[in-house]
Amino acid sequence: MKSNSVTKGVQQAPHRSLFNALGYTAEELNKPLVGIVSSYNEIVPGHMNLDKIVDAVRIGVAMAGGTPVVFPAIAVCDGIAMGHTGMKYSLATRELIADSTEAMALAHQFDALVMVPNCDKNVPGLLMAAARVNVPTIFVSGGPMLAGKMKGKRTCLSDMFEAVGAYNAGKLSAEELEAYENKACPTCGSCSGMYTANSMNCLTEALGMGLKGNGTIPAVYSERIKLAKHAGMKVLELFEKDIKPKDIMTEDAFLNALAVDMALGCSTNSMLHLPAIAHEAGVELNLDLANEISAKTPNLCHLAPAGNTFMEDLDDAGGVYAVMNELAKRDLLNLDLLTCSGLTVGENIEGCVNTNPEIIRPIDNPYSETGGIAVLKGNLAPDTCVVKRSAVAPEMMVHEGPARVFDCEEDAIKAINDGKIVAGDVVVIRYEGPKGGPGMREMLNPTSAIMGRGLGESVALITDGRFSGATRGASIGHVSPEAAVGGNIALVEEGDLIKIDINANTIDFVVSDEELERRRANWKPRQPEITSGYLARYAELVTSGNRGAVLEVPKNN
């Protein structure tokens, strides 16, 4: 056992004395030490129930003959961090979560790990750590929130943000806005649509790192507690069989995850997180693969914000495994891969039928024959940019319009709220990328303001920042290279004609090569606004969005 290096032998007598100080018995130290990484806190709605999940995991670990040891991971609530300096920290915490978990796991020599995340950066951050540490590991999340109810209609967080836009446009009263405020988020859990948290929890199932239902069983259901107990028991089986994350998170597992991503219509943030997790697992996940897989993978689900169905509906319809079963009918998945259940993908999904064809479209009756996410390229984004195609109005799949250029999110929001953005415009928000932000802020406020003003079918938004999973519309993010490093998005000028063709995966602005070079010669890097602390270090080391915004030590160091 790995933990022998802290529990066995004469040289480890001082170590054992410290375990004695913690109240551990000799019997406990003779069992595998299982680290339980708890993301519990009292500021994130998706994490306020994780103490209950952790307690259940502890029971499961002990029942199966292990010694559970809990330690923490931080978490940021993207909704609360939205629209101010706090959002600069959101993506950046992914690396802190991965780094601190790696440090705790290796410093204390755990034999196995159970990861208990829920919201946006904790799931990918802990998946990255799992690949790095590479001891037997399983995931069990806190589960999604139930949908709210407003005037007989179910609602969610994305409706709440759009309600603010409608209020600012004079389309909603203060009383109606307050009613939304009190109804949109009725329970604990990750917000109820197919936003980033739920996308990544579902993809944890698709990768093989979480048991059935991990992505969809609602947070308030007792079944979630039972799942946590089973996860605690199962990790000891993984330990006995020496099944590690890198045995599960293979290249083919990431291809499976991309296919499920396309079928579910996941958040565009998955195009940041999957490459980053793959990088830690020693797999190169080129975003060009996303279009290849999307071209042959039908989009089967339209959960909020793409439609008016929610995570509880997906769970009732059979969950992620039912979606995977539909994909298997066209041989779109590798069914022979090992998973954390100890079984193969094919064995896991056998008999998991789709019980509601309105929630999970059958494979022969999809929403579209292509997947929910598209990766675009062109002279505006020579490397790549991404869009949640399943949440784009048909009228906006092909669009041309004049650029309305802003160098930060706040300036764009002011222009939208002041009525200065009109039908046909293409809003460009730059210097919000991983380095330029720094931190690659989500642009949910401006996209919601556009929707709230009724411009969702006539205005596009392009940024080197990123979007919340709650964003809908022609919202194109992760433009790479970003403006801060001299990417072409930095050279767009007010009024330039921008051409977007999501069907053809292209994005360009109309400017001659000669003019582009003239602008490039006149461009000067902006001085960073943040020059100290974690974000300054992050900006120095972070790579571009198309590489997953991972941290990389400069080669000349």
Side-chain angles (χ1 to χ4, degrees), residues 107 399 425:
H399 180 74
D425 284 348

Side-chain angles (χ1 to χ4, degrees), residues 16-329:
R16 289 192 297 275
S17 72
L18 294 169
F19 279 105
N20 288 336
L22 290 162
Y24 285 98
T25 65
E27 291 83 0
E28 287 174 299
L29 298 184
N30 282 324
K31 297 175 181 179
L33 294 185
V34 180
I36 302 173
V37 186
S38 171
S39 299
Y40 168 78
N41 65 41
E42 295 182 346
I43 191 63
V44 183
H47 290 220
M48 65 177 289
N49 66 319
L50 294 190
D51 55 341
K52 308 296 188 298
I53 303 297
V54 167
D55 286 345
V57 172
R58 289 173 67 106
I59 291 169
V61 168
M63 286 172 63
T67 297
V69 184
V70 179
F71 65 89
I74 64 167
V76 164
C77 177
D78 278 23
I80 295 174
M82 193 71 64
H84 55 86
T85 300
M87 182 46 67
K88 293 178 182 290
Y89 285 89
S90 172
L91 179 61
T93 63
R94 187 187 70 185
E95 317 310 310
L96 286 175
I97 292 160
D99 291 350
S100 59
T101 302
E102 171 199 352
M104 287 293 288
L106 295 180
H108 301 102
Q109 295 291 286
F110 291 108
D111 296 301
L113 296 169
V114 181
M115 307 294 198
V116 187
N118 208 29
C119 288
D120 297 28
K121 308 311 163 304
N122 292 76
V123 183
L126 291 180
L127 282 164
M128 291 164 69
R132 282 188 207 170
V133 177
N134 203 36
V135 297
T137 302
I138 196 167
F139 277 66
V140 56
S141 77
M145 185 184 290
L146 296 180
K149 292 181 180 177
M150 176 74 177
K151 295 182 177 180
K153 176 189 172 187
R154 291 190 300 168
T155 187
C156 58
L157 184 65
S158 52
D159 291 337
M160 185 69 248
F161 275 91
E162 291 180 20
V164 173
Y167 171 79
N168 287 332
K171 297 182 177 182
L172 201 68
S173 69
E175 292 75 20
E176 289 171 314
L177 181 64
E178 185 178 3
Y180 267 106
E181 181 180 326
N182 291 321
K183 298 290 186 180
C185 299
T187 74
C188 65
S190 48
C191 298
S192 55
M194 188 54 80
Y195 311 144
T196 304
N198 293 324
S199 294
M200 295 311 302
N201 280 320
C202 288
L203 294 180
T204 300
E205 282 190 62
L207 277 172
M209 291 297 292
L211 297 174
K212 178 186 177 185
N214 182 63
T216 59
I217 297 171
V220 295
Y221 283 14
S222 300
E223 193 66 26
R224 176 65 57 178
I225 300 296
K226 293 162 67 175
L227 179 71
K229 291 176 182 176
H230 283 131
M233 289 185 272
K234 184 62 68 173
V235 79
L236 270 298
E237 181 183 323
L238 296 176
F239 171 76
E240 291 297 329
K241 294 179 178 179
D242 196 30
I243 298 173
K244 300 185 177 89
K246 286 184 180 178
D247 299 323
I248 295 170
M249 290 194 286
T250 62
E251 181 176 358
D252 284 340
F254 284 99
L255 298 182
N256 275 1
L258 279 173
V260 175
D261 190 327
M262 297 302 167
L264 286 172
C266 289
S267 163
T268 51
N269 280 314
S270 65
M271 295 295 102
L272 280 174
H273 299 321
L274 286 176
I277 299 160
H279 175 75
E280 298 293 349
V283 174
E284 183 180 350
L285 197 63
N286 190 311
L287 284 189
D288 290 335
L289 286 170
N291 281 344
E292 292 178 26
I293 290 174
S294 180
K296 60 184 179 181
T297 307
N299 177 227
L300 305 181
C301 299
H302 265 193
L303 282 82
N308 197 41
T309 56
F310 301 90
M311 295 303 297
E312 62 204 79
D313 304 316
L314 179 59
D315 189 64
D316 288 342
V320 175
Y321 280 11
V323 174
M324 294 174 74
N325 224 340
E326 291 291 342
L327 296 178
K329 294 174 183 178

